[in-house]
Amino acid sequence: MALSAGLKLIQWARRPAVPSKDRKQVAQDRRDAQFRRLARDQWVTEQREREVARYLYHVRPMI
């Protein structure tokens, strides 16, 4: 048991280093995510306005 735990610990210590993202990349990723959110919100708003216009086009003659 202790031997296998020791071997696992050695394997973990020898694992390749994972490059961490630098601050600029993290900030860029955050900005990209924000732009995607804004674009999605704008698209949803446009679709909602389109649906309302379509609804009114069909309902108005009945009023």
Side-chain angles (χ1 to χ4, degrees):
M1 175 86 171
L3 182 59
S4 69
L7 290 175
K8 287 181 183 177
L9 186 59
I10 291 171
Q11 283 179 335
W12 179 82
R14 289 184 179 173
R15 74 193 188 288
V18 178
S20 62
K21 291 184 177 181
D22 60 344
R23 292 175 190 225
K24 289 180 182 179
Q25 185 62 38
V26 171
Q28 182 66 41
D29 291 347
R30 191 175 295 128
R31 280 192 299 272
D32 291 346
Q34 185 178 13
F35 285 136
R36 284 193 302 272
R37 268 196 313 273
L38 290 172
R40 185 188 64 222
D41 291 346
Q42 183 179 1
W43 182 82
V44 167
T45 303
E46 290 171 359
Q47 293 301 317
R48 187 177 297 130
E49 290 172 359
R50 227 178 256 167
E51 292 286 328
V52 168
R54 188 179 304 141
Y55 172 77
L56 291 175
Y57 174 78
H58 290 294
V59 171
R60 221 176 249 151
M62 297 179 200
I63 297 177

